[in-house]
Amino acid sequence: MVTWNVATRHPEEDLAEMLGFGTSGKHKVQERLPDIFAIGLQEVKSQPQNILMDAIFDDPWTNAYRDVLARWDYVKVKTIRLQGLLLSLFCLRKHLLHLRDIETQYTRTGLGGMWGNKGAVTIRLSIYGCSVCLVNCHLTPHDHLLQERIADYNNIIKSQLFRAKETSNIFFHDYVFWIGDMNFRLVDGYSAEEIDHLIRKGELMRLLDKDQLLQVMSSGEAFSELSEQLPTFPPTYKFEFHSSRYDLKRRPSWTDRILYKVNANVYENLTLQAEQVSYRSVEEYVQSDHKPVIGEFIIKVFSDYYERVVEFLPFELWYVDEENSASYTLSGDVQPTLWDWIGVFKDGFTSLDDYLCYVYAARSTVSGNSNCRVKKVDFPDTAVREVGPYRLLYFSHNSGSVLGMSEAFEVCRRDNGQLTQFVCRDSY
């Protein structure tokens, strides 16, 4: 989990170190990589021209994180944006077919719910059979507006509903992770200079005793459903830009937090568990007046969970600028809809939004014995314009997820009627 208020700045610093892939990062090639990254940003630049461009192309921040993670075979699964709020989910390519029922929601809380400069964006999904809800929020600022932050939280809970009955509410999920710039401050008692002095002395516990978030969690007014590992890092706001010195025009506070909840006993044969491995701020990043906060978790899921799948059959040769076809089978529990679609991707794609062409699965025709559920789908001559390796992905409209991915296959160019042998790569 990453949460960072980027203060409307564009990416300036190398993000690899933040994600653990830098020279001093702990993720080495020989060690196990994180399966999933959830990156929540606040105050992404959201002027009208930025929103328009980001609706057509990924925003600069998503691209910057994507460029780092692509080197380690991560794929961007989903991004949701509400003005300056942004939440992106990345996973290792090998897990793509095990992420199901992906859905997004958002809540505006700015100007009484009329404006999206404050609020929350959410991605929910199932991971190997367990439901996970990820919330990124930016709540009302300023020391004295505590009640508005409490109201924001309760508004988000009430307003966000999901299609699946078992997980229609945020807290009905097996795992909930709530991150963001929550803007909780320290209750009155210390000046900015006194807080800075206590931070320098390492007396963080004296300051945490004044933390508004911990107090409302204890009183039950807000966030009491969630848990937080007590921060051992200094307050993450407010810093002078391009430095690690506090800007004492504001009282330093732990505004940036990561909380979680586990519904441990919802299954007969499995007790769920989330182990928090780390909780830290990254002081080396100085382009914002906030420091990024990172949390690492290990969660328990089903190791033998059966997924409904679509399997692509071995490919015939595909050619550039020609109509091509593919065949696939549906497992018995896959119920296709009119809006399921099959996308053409270059092999090595780094985002599920990177399809070059798609056709609706409803256009497929039954091939051979209809009882075996083999279907054939045709692609237009505009689907592929370059030679090289490609893949097909089958997307379910109802579940918002990938049900099948083909082996990599080579697209060739027909040369004076000569046939060129295609190359078949490993499958996932």
Side-chain angles (χ1 to χ4, degrees), residues 195-253:
I195 294 172
D196 187 41
H197 179 67
L198 290 172
I199 293 170
R200 293 175 186 274
K201 290 176 62 179
E203 297 188 21
L204 299 183
M205 286 305 301
R206 287 181 62 182
L207 298 176
L208 284 168
D209 286 341
K210 301 283 188 179
D211 180 70
Q212 288 180 343
L213 176 56
L214 294 179
Q215 291 189 1
V216 298
M217 290 173 70
S218 178
S219 68
E221 295 174 89
F223 292 98
S224 57
E225 299 88 346
L226 296 141
S227 301
E228 182 189 26
Q229 189 178 97
L230 204 62
T232 57
F233 47 86
T236 54
Y237 174 82
K238 173 180 170 65
F239 290 87
E240 296 176 0
F241 286 98
H242 297 103
S243 83
S244 289
R245 296 185 303 273
Y246 286 105
D247 180 351
L248 299 181
K249 295 176 184 176
R250 299 285 179 87
R251 298 191 309 144
S253 301

Side-chain angles (χ1 to χ4, degrees), residues 114-324:
M114 299 293 292
W115 195 241
N117 62 321
K118 297 293 186 292
V121 288
T122 301
I123 299 174
R124 66 85 54 212
L125 71 160
S126 293
I127 302 174
Y128 287 91
C130 290
S131 60
V132 179
C133 190
L134 309 164
V135 184
N136 173 34
C137 73
H138 193 186
L139 306 185
T140 300
H142 306 307
D143 293 38
H144 64 287
L145 295 180
L146 173 60
Q147 292 305 314
E148 282 75 2
R149 286 187 279 281
I150 293 172
D152 289 346
Y153 169 75
N154 288 297
N155 185 22
I156 292 165
I157 293 173
K158 292 176 183 178
S159 66
Q160 295 204 1
L161 299 175
F162 303 96
R163 290 192 300 265
K165 292 182 180 179
E166 297 81 2
T167 56
S168 59
N169 183 279
I170 288 173
F171 289 119
F172 292 174
H173 290 78
D174 299 334
Y175 297 98
V176 179
F177 296 94
W178 197 308
I179 69 177
D181 179 359
M182 301 181 191
N183 259 323
F184 287 98
R185 309 305 172 92
L186 302 181
V187 297
D188 292 337
Y190 294 117
S191 67
E193 290 75 17
E194 289 172 327
I195 294 172
D196 187 41
H197 179 67
L198 290 172
I199 293 170
R200 293 175 186 274
K201 290 176 62 179
E203 297 188 21
L204 299 183
M205 286 305 301
R206 287 181 62 182
L207 298 176
L208 284 168
D209 286 341
K210 301 283 188 179
D211 180 70
Q212 288 180 343
L213 176 56
L214 294 179
Q215 291 189 1
V216 298
M217 290 173 70
S218 178
S219 68
E221 295 174 89
F223 292 98
S224 57
E225 299 88 346
L226 296 141
S227 301
E228 182 189 26
Q229 189 178 97
L230 204 62
T232 57
F233 47 86
T236 54
Y237 174 82
K238 173 180 170 65
F239 290 87
E240 296 176 0
F241 286 98
H242 297 103
S243 83
S244 289
R245 296 185 303 273
Y246 286 105
D247 180 351
L248 299 181
K249 295 176 184 176
R250 299 285 179 87
R251 298 191 309 144
S253 301
W254 284 276
T255 57
D256 311 284
R257 312 289 275 265
I258 297 176
L259 287 74
Y260 68 98
K261 175 182 174 60
V262 182
N263 286 311
N265 299 307
V266 293
Y267 300 105
E268 291 184 3
N269 301 318
L270 177 68
T271 301
L272 300 182
Q273 178 184 352
E275 174 191 353
Q276 186 160 2
V277 178
S278 69
Y279 191 26
R280 58 193 172 91
S281 66
V282 192
E283 297 185 8
E284 294 79 6
Y285 288 84
V286 297
Q287 71 172 80
S288 172
D289 55 354
H290 290 250
K291 298 299 182 184
V293 172
I294 315 294
E296 295 175 272
F297 296 83
I298 297 174
I299 66 172
K300 184 182 290 187
V301 297
F302 290 98
S303 60
D304 57 350
Y305 188 76
Y306 171 75
E307 303 284 7
R308 54 196 186 279
V309 294
V310 171
E311 293 187 1
F312 288 92
L313 302 183
F315 275 79
E316 299 178 358
L317 293 176
W318 273 40
Y319 293 99
V320 172
D321 297 328
E322 295 186 20
E323 293 185 0
N324 295 286

Side-chain angles (χ1 to χ4, degrees), residues 3 33 73 107 160 175 183 283 299 319 335 345 416 426:
T3 178
L33 297 172
D73 208 31
T107 302
Q160 295 204 1
Y175 297 98
N183 259 323
E283 297 185 8
I299 66 172
Y319 293 99
Q335 299 299 323
F345 291 74
N416 296 326
D426 58 342

Side-chain angles (χ1 to χ4, degrees), residues 395-411:
F395 287 82
S396 165
H397 174 75
N398 281 347
S399 68
S401 51
V402 180
L403 299 190
M405 180 162 59
S406 75
E407 295 181 342
F409 60 95
E410 200 79 13
V411 174

